[in-house]
Amino acid sequence: MDTLIKRAAEDIAAAKLVTALTGAGISTESGIPPFRGKGGLWERFDPMEVAHIDAFMQDPTRVWEILLKEMKTIVEAARPNDSHTGLTKLENLGKLSTIITQNVDGLHQVAGSTDVIEFHGNFASHRCLDCQKQYASHEVQITQIPPRCDCNGILRPNAVFFGELIPPEALRRSQKIATDCDLMLVLGTSAEVQPAAMMPVIAKDTGATIIEINPQSTALTGTVSDYLIKGKAGEVMNRIIAELEQIL
Ligand code: NAD
Ligand code: ZN
Protein backbone atom coordinates (compact mmCIF):
# COMPACT_ATOMS: atom_id res chain seq x y z
CA MET A 1 0.00 0.00 0.00
CA ASP A 2 2.77 2.53 0.97
CA THR A 3 4.51 2.01 -2.36
CA LEU A 4 1.27 2.53 -4.28
CA ILE A 5 0.43 5.72 -2.35
CA LYS A 6 3.87 7.09 -3.21
CA ARG A 7 3.49 6.01 -6.82
CA ALA A 8 0.08 7.70 -7.07
CA ALA A 9 1.43 10.96 -5.60
CA GLU A 10 4.32 10.92 -8.08
CA ASP A 11 2.02 10.15 -11.01
CA ILE A 12 -0.35 12.98 -10.00
CA ALA A 13 2.55 15.41 -9.53
CA ALA A 14 3.83 14.60 -13.03
CA ALA A 15 0.41 14.75 -14.76
CA LYS A 16 -0.75 17.84 -16.63
CA LEU A 17 -4.51 17.26 -16.61
CA VAL A 18 -6.01 15.16 -13.83
CA THR A 19 -9.65 14.17 -13.65
CA ALA A 20 -11.66 11.94 -11.29
CA LEU A 21 -14.58 9.59 -11.80
CA THR A 22 -16.49 8.97 -8.58
CA GLY A 23 -19.25 6.58 -7.56
CA ALA A 24 -21.49 5.68 -4.65
CA GLY A 25 -18.60 4.08 -2.69
CA ILE A 26 -17.07 7.43 -1.79
CA SER A 27 -20.25 8.55 -0.06
CA THR A 28 -20.60 5.43 2.11
CA GLU A 29 -18.43 7.13 4.74
CA SER A 30 -21.06 9.92 4.74
CA GLY A 31 -23.76 7.37 5.59
CA ILE A 32 -25.24 6.93 2.10
CA PRO A 33 -25.51 3.25 1.13
CA PRO A 34 -24.15 2.21 -2.30
CA PHE A 35 -26.15 0.10 -4.73
CA ARG A 36 -23.85 -2.90 -5.03
CA GLY A 37 -21.57 -4.58 -2.49
CA LYS A 38 -21.84 -4.94 1.27
CA GLY A 39 -24.76 -3.00 2.78
CA GLY A 40 -25.83 -1.97 -0.71
CA LEU A 41 -29.44 -1.15 -1.54
CA TRP A 42 -29.59 -4.05 -3.99
CA GLU A 43 -29.38 -6.49 -1.11
CA ARG A 44 -32.91 -5.27 -0.32
CA PHE A 45 -34.38 -4.32 -3.71
CA ASP A 46 -34.34 -5.41 -7.31
CA PRO A 47 -32.94 -2.44 -9.26
CA MET A 48 -35.18 -2.95 -12.25
CA GLU A 49 -38.22 -2.96 -9.98
CA VAL A 50 -37.44 0.25 -8.18
CA ALA A 51 -34.86 2.32 -10.06
CA HIS A 52 -36.07 1.89 -13.64
CA ILE A 53 -38.06 4.70 -15.25
CA ASP A 54 -40.73 2.24 -16.39
CA ALA A 55 -41.23 1.10 -12.78
CA PHE A 56 -41.53 4.71 -11.65
CA MET A 57 -44.02 5.68 -14.38
CA GLN A 58 -46.12 2.58 -13.69
CA ASP A 59 -46.27 3.05 -9.94
CA PRO A 60 -44.72 6.32 -8.67
CA THR A 61 -46.16 5.85 -5.19
CA ARG A 62 -44.37 2.52 -4.75
CA VAL A 63 -41.01 3.83 -6.01
CA TRP A 64 -41.30 6.94 -3.81
CA GLU A 65 -42.23 4.72 -0.85
CA ILE A 66 -39.41 2.19 -1.13
CA LEU A 67 -36.51 4.10 -2.71
CA LEU A 68 -36.91 7.86 -3.28
CA LYS A 69 -38.25 8.79 0.17
CA GLU A 70 -35.26 7.14 1.87
CA MET A 71 -32.71 8.49 -0.65
CA LYS A 72 -34.03 12.06 -0.29
CA THR A 73 -33.93 11.90 3.52
CA ILE A 74 -30.45 10.37 3.67
CA VAL A 75 -28.98 12.70 1.01
CA GLU A 76 -30.38 15.82 2.74
CA ALA A 77 -28.73 14.83 6.04
CA ALA A 78 -25.36 13.77 4.59
CA ARG A 79 -22.14 15.74 4.92
CA PRO A 80 -18.94 15.41 2.86
CA ASN A 81 -16.23 13.07 4.12
CA ASP A 82 -12.44 12.94 3.63
CA SER A 83 -12.75 11.64 0.08
CA HIS A 84 -14.80 14.67 -1.01
CA THR A 85 -12.57 17.13 0.83
CA GLY A 86 -9.47 15.29 -0.43
CA LEU A 87 -10.56 15.89 -4.03
CA THR A 88 -11.20 19.56 -3.22
CA LYS A 89 -7.68 19.80 -1.76
CA LEU A 90 -6.31 18.23 -4.93
CA GLU A 91 -8.09 20.93 -6.96
CA ASN A 92 -6.67 23.62 -4.67
CA LEU A 93 -3.17 22.19 -5.22
CA GLY A 94 -3.78 22.67 -8.97
CA LYS A 95 -3.85 18.89 -9.44
CA LEU A 96 -7.48 18.18 -10.36
CA SER A 97 -9.49 19.90 -13.05
CA THR A 98 -12.87 18.16 -13.21
CA ILE A 99 -14.85 15.54 -11.30
CA ILE A 100 -17.22 13.31 -13.24
CA THR A 101 -19.59 11.91 -10.61
CA GLN A 102 -22.25 9.25 -10.83
CA ASN A 103 -23.46 10.34 -7.41
CA VAL A 104 -26.68 12.24 -6.99
CA ASP A 105 -25.90 13.53 -3.48
CA GLY A 106 -24.23 16.87 -4.36
CA LEU A 107 -21.48 16.30 -1.75
CA HIS A 108 -18.59 17.30 -4.06
CA GLN A 109 -20.10 20.76 -4.44
CA VAL A 110 -20.72 21.04 -0.69
CA ALA A 111 -17.05 20.15 -0.14
CA GLY A 112 -16.05 23.03 -2.44
CA SER A 113 -15.10 21.32 -5.71
CA THR A 114 -15.86 23.81 -8.48
CA ASP A 115 -16.13 21.74 -11.66
CA VAL A 116 -18.40 18.75 -11.10
CA ILE A 117 -20.18 16.96 -13.93
CA GLU A 118 -23.28 15.26 -12.54
CA PHE A 119 -23.54 12.30 -14.86
CA HIS A 120 -26.73 11.00 -13.28
CA GLY A 121 -28.31 14.31 -12.27
CA ASN A 122 -29.07 14.98 -8.60
CA PHE A 123 -31.51 14.95 -5.71
CA ALA A 124 -31.01 18.67 -5.04
CA SER A 125 -34.07 19.51 -7.13
CA HIS A 126 -37.28 17.87 -8.30
CA ARG A 127 -39.66 18.51 -11.16
CA CYS A 128 -43.34 18.01 -11.94
CA LEU A 129 -44.21 15.24 -14.39
CA ASP A 130 -47.08 17.36 -15.75
CA CYS A 131 -46.01 21.02 -15.90
CA GLN A 132 -42.20 20.61 -15.42
CA LYS A 133 -42.14 23.17 -12.57
CA GLN A 134 -38.86 22.87 -10.60
CA TYR A 135 -38.65 22.61 -6.79
CA ALA A 136 -35.58 22.68 -4.52
CA SER A 137 -35.38 19.45 -2.51
CA HIS A 138 -36.12 21.20 0.80
CA GLU A 139 -39.37 22.58 -0.67
CA VAL A 140 -40.59 19.05 -1.36
CA GLN A 141 -42.58 17.65 1.56
CA ILE A 142 -42.66 13.87 1.86
CA THR A 143 -45.40 13.74 4.46
CA GLN A 144 -47.62 12.80 1.54
CA ILE A 145 -46.38 10.18 -0.96
CA PRO A 146 -45.96 10.78 -3.81
CA PRO A 147 -45.15 14.47 -3.30
CA ARG A 148 -47.13 16.73 -5.61
CA CYS A 149 -46.77 20.01 -7.49
CA ASP A 150 -49.07 23.02 -7.03
CA CYS A 151 -50.83 21.74 -10.16
CA ASN A 152 -51.28 18.35 -8.43
CA GLY A 153 -48.82 16.63 -10.81
CA ILE A 154 -46.45 14.05 -9.31
CA LEU A 155 -42.88 15.16 -8.52
CA ARG A 156 -39.73 13.27 -9.42
CA PRO A 157 -36.09 13.96 -8.53
CA ASN A 158 -33.83 15.41 -11.22
CA ALA A 159 -31.81 12.22 -11.02
CA VAL A 160 -31.44 9.80 -13.92
CA PHE A 161 -33.35 6.52 -13.59
CA PHE A 162 -32.16 3.33 -15.25
CA GLY A 163 -33.60 3.35 -18.77
CA GLU A 164 -33.18 7.13 -19.15
CA LEU A 165 -30.66 9.08 -21.19
CA ILE A 166 -27.63 10.75 -19.62
CA PRO A 167 -28.01 14.55 -19.79
CA PRO A 168 -26.41 15.23 -23.23
CA GLU A 169 -24.10 18.04 -22.04
CA ALA A 170 -22.82 15.91 -19.14
CA LEU A 171 -22.05 13.07 -21.54
CA ARG A 172 -20.36 15.34 -24.10
CA ARG A 173 -18.15 17.09 -21.52
CA SER A 174 -17.24 13.83 -19.79
CA GLN A 175 -16.15 12.25 -23.06
CA LYS A 176 -14.04 15.31 -23.85
CA ILE A 177 -12.36 15.44 -20.45
CA ALA A 178 -11.74 11.67 -20.55
CA THR A 179 -10.04 12.11 -23.92
CA ASP A 180 -7.99 15.14 -22.85
CA CYS A 181 -6.80 14.05 -19.39
CA ASP A 182 -3.50 12.27 -18.82
CA LEU A 183 -4.50 10.83 -15.43
CA MET A 184 -7.87 9.64 -14.16
CA LEU A 185 -8.59 8.70 -10.56
CA VAL A 186 -11.46 6.22 -10.29
CA LEU A 187 -12.88 6.19 -6.77
CA GLY A 188 -15.71 4.17 -5.23
CA THR A 189 -17.34 2.88 -8.38
CA SER A 190 -18.00 -0.71 -9.36
CA ALA A 191 -17.79 0.48 -13.00
CA GLU A 192 -20.80 -1.57 -13.94
CA VAL A 193 -23.20 1.19 -14.90
CA GLN A 194 -22.87 2.33 -18.51
CA PRO A 195 -21.98 4.69 -20.11
CA ALA A 196 -20.16 6.10 -17.03
CA ALA A 197 -17.94 3.00 -16.94
CA MET A 198 -16.72 3.85 -20.45
CA MET A 199 -14.97 7.04 -19.26
CA PRO A 200 -11.87 5.26 -17.86
CA VAL A 201 -11.78 3.13 -21.03
CA ILE A 202 -11.79 6.26 -23.22
CA ALA A 203 -9.10 7.84 -21.02
CA LYS A 204 -6.93 4.71 -21.15
CA ASP A 205 -7.30 4.42 -24.94
CA THR A 206 -6.10 7.98 -25.33
CA GLY A 207 -2.99 7.40 -23.20
CA ALA A 208 -4.01 8.33 -19.64
CA THR A 209 -2.88 6.58 -16.47
CA ILE A 210 -5.85 5.11 -14.56
CA ILE A 211 -5.62 4.78 -10.78
CA GLU A 212 -8.41 2.99 -8.92
CA ILE A 213 -9.19 3.54 -5.25
CA ASN A 214 -11.61 0.93 -3.90
CA PRO A 215 -11.57 -1.71 -1.11
CA GLN A 216 -12.50 -4.29 -3.75
CA SER A 217 -11.40 -5.03 -7.29
CA THR A 218 -13.80 -4.10 -10.09
CA ALA A 219 -14.40 -4.78 -13.76
CA LEU A 220 -11.61 -2.29 -14.53
CA THR A 221 -9.00 -3.86 -12.25
CA GLY A 222 -6.11 -5.48 -14.06
CA THR A 223 -7.48 -4.52 -17.47
CA VAL A 224 -8.25 -0.82 -17.75
CA SER A 225 -6.71 0.48 -14.53
CA ASP A 226 -2.93 0.70 -14.22
CA TYR A 227 -3.17 -0.10 -10.54
CA LEU A 228 -5.67 -0.43 -7.70
CA ILE A 229 -5.05 1.10 -4.29
CA LYS A 230 -7.10 -1.19 -2.07
CA GLY A 231 -8.72 0.82 0.69
CA LYS A 232 -11.38 3.30 1.70
CA ALA A 233 -11.38 6.42 -0.47
CA GLY A 234 -11.20 8.91 2.43
CA GLU A 235 -8.22 7.27 4.09
CA VAL A 236 -6.36 6.75 0.81
CA MET A 237 -6.99 10.36 -0.32
CA ASN A 238 -5.61 11.70 2.99
CA ARG A 239 -2.42 9.71 2.50
CA ILE A 240 -2.00 10.71 -1.15
CA ILE A 241 -2.49 14.41 -0.29
CA ALA A 242 0.05 14.19 2.56
CA GLU A 243 2.59 12.63 0.20
CA LEU A 244 1.84 15.15 -2.58
CA GLU A 245 2.29 18.12 -0.25
CA GLN A 246 5.84 16.93 0.36
CA ILE A 247 6.80 16.62 -3.29
CA LEU A 248 5.00 19.57 -4.92
P1 NAD B 1 -21.95 0.88 -6.87
O1 NAD B 1 -22.92 0.88 -5.76
O2 NAD B 1 -22.20 0.04 -8.05
O3 NAD B 1 -20.50 0.47 -6.34
C1 NAD B 1 -19.93 1.01 -5.19
C2 NAD B 1 -18.43 0.73 -5.23
O4 NAD B 1 -17.81 1.44 -4.17
C3 NAD B 1 -18.06 -0.74 -5.06
O5 NAD B 1 -17.09 -1.09 -6.01
C4 NAD B 1 -17.46 -0.78 -3.63
O6 NAD B 1 -16.44 -1.75 -3.50
C5 NAD B 1 -16.90 0.61 -3.51
N1 NAD B 1 -16.75 1.12 -2.15
C6 NAD B 1 -17.50 0.84 -1.04
N2 NAD B 1 -17.05 1.55 0.02
C7 NAD B 1 -16.01 2.29 -0.42
C8 NAD B 1 -15.13 3.24 0.20
N3 NAD B 1 -15.23 3.56 1.50
N4 NAD B 1 -14.17 3.83 -0.58
C9 NAD B 1 -14.06 3.52 -1.90
N5 NAD B 1 -14.85 2.63 -2.53
C10 NAD B 1 -15.82 2.03 -1.80
O7 NAD B 1 -21.79 2.41 -7.24
P2 NAD B 1 -21.66 3.12 -8.64
O8 NAD B 1 -20.58 2.49 -9.42
O9 NAD B 1 -21.58 4.57 -8.33
O10 NAD B 1 -23.03 2.82 -9.42
C11 NAD B 1 -24.30 2.87 -8.84
C12 NAD B 1 -25.24 3.98 -9.31
O11 NAD B 1 -26.02 4.29 -8.17
C13 NAD B 1 -24.63 5.28 -9.67
O12 NAD B 1 -24.91 5.47 -10.99
C14 NAD B 1 -25.33 6.38 -8.83
O13 NAD B 1 -26.10 7.21 -9.66
C15 NAD B 1 -26.28 5.66 -7.96
N6 NAD B 1 -26.14 5.87 -6.49
C16 NAD B 1 -25.70 7.05 -6.00
C17 NAD B 1 -25.55 7.23 -4.64
C18 NAD B 1 -25.04 8.56 -4.15
O14 NAD B 1 -25.31 9.57 -4.77
N7 NAD B 1 -24.28 8.58 -3.06
C19 NAD B 1 -25.84 6.18 -3.76
C20 NAD B 1 -26.31 4.96 -4.29
C21 NAD B 1 -26.44 4.82 -5.67
ZN1 ZN C 1 -47.01 20.82 -11.98
Side-chain angles (χ1 to χ4, degrees), residues 128 130-133 135 149-153:
C128 171
D130 291 345
C131 74
Q132 307 303 318
K133 183 174 173 187
Y135 291 83
C149 175
D150 298 338
C151 82
N152 205 38

Side-chain angles (χ1 to χ4, degrees), residues 44-63:
R44 292 190 276 145
F45 313 121
D46 172 354
M48 292 305 149
E49 256 189 54
V50 290
H52 197 282
I53 186 62
D54 294 346
F56 180 72
M57 294 312 283
Q58 254 168 37
D59 195 346
T61 307
R62 181 166 176 270
V63 173

Side-chain angles (χ1 to χ4, degrees), residues 107-215:
L107 292 178
H108 288 302
Q109 292 92 325
V110 178
S113 292
T114 60
D115 190 16
V116 182
I117 302 175
E118 291 183 314
F119 209 79
H120 293 154
N122 60 64
F123 261 72
S125 60
H126 295 248
R127 67 177 185 270
C128 171
L129 290 181
D130 291 345
C131 74
Q132 307 303 318
K133 183 174 173 187
Q134 301 279 331
Y135 291 83
S137 184
H138 65 85
E139 296 175 304
V140 175
Q141 302 300 326
I142 49 171
T143 38
Q144 177 207 358
I145 293 293
R148 289 183 185 269
C149 175
D150 298 338
C151 82
N152 205 38
I154 291 171
L155 297 181
R156 60 159 289 173
N158 279 325
V160 176
F161 283 93
F162 286 118
E164 289 192 298
L165 290 177
I166 303 303
E169 181 58 12
L171 183 59
R172 193 197 62 75
R173 273 203 75 212
S174 299
Q175 284 168 333
K176 172 143 186 13
I177 201 88
T179 306
D180 292 349
C181 72
D182 56 358
L183 191 147
M184 183 181 276
L185 295 169
V186 180
L187 309 96
T189 176
S190 62
E192 283 181 25
V193 178
Q194 292 293 358
M198 275 310 288
M199 298 308 137
V201 178
I202 294 171
K204 177 77 174 181
D205 281 352
T206 48
T209 301
I210 314 294
I211 306 172
E212 264 191 290
I213 303 173
N214 196 311

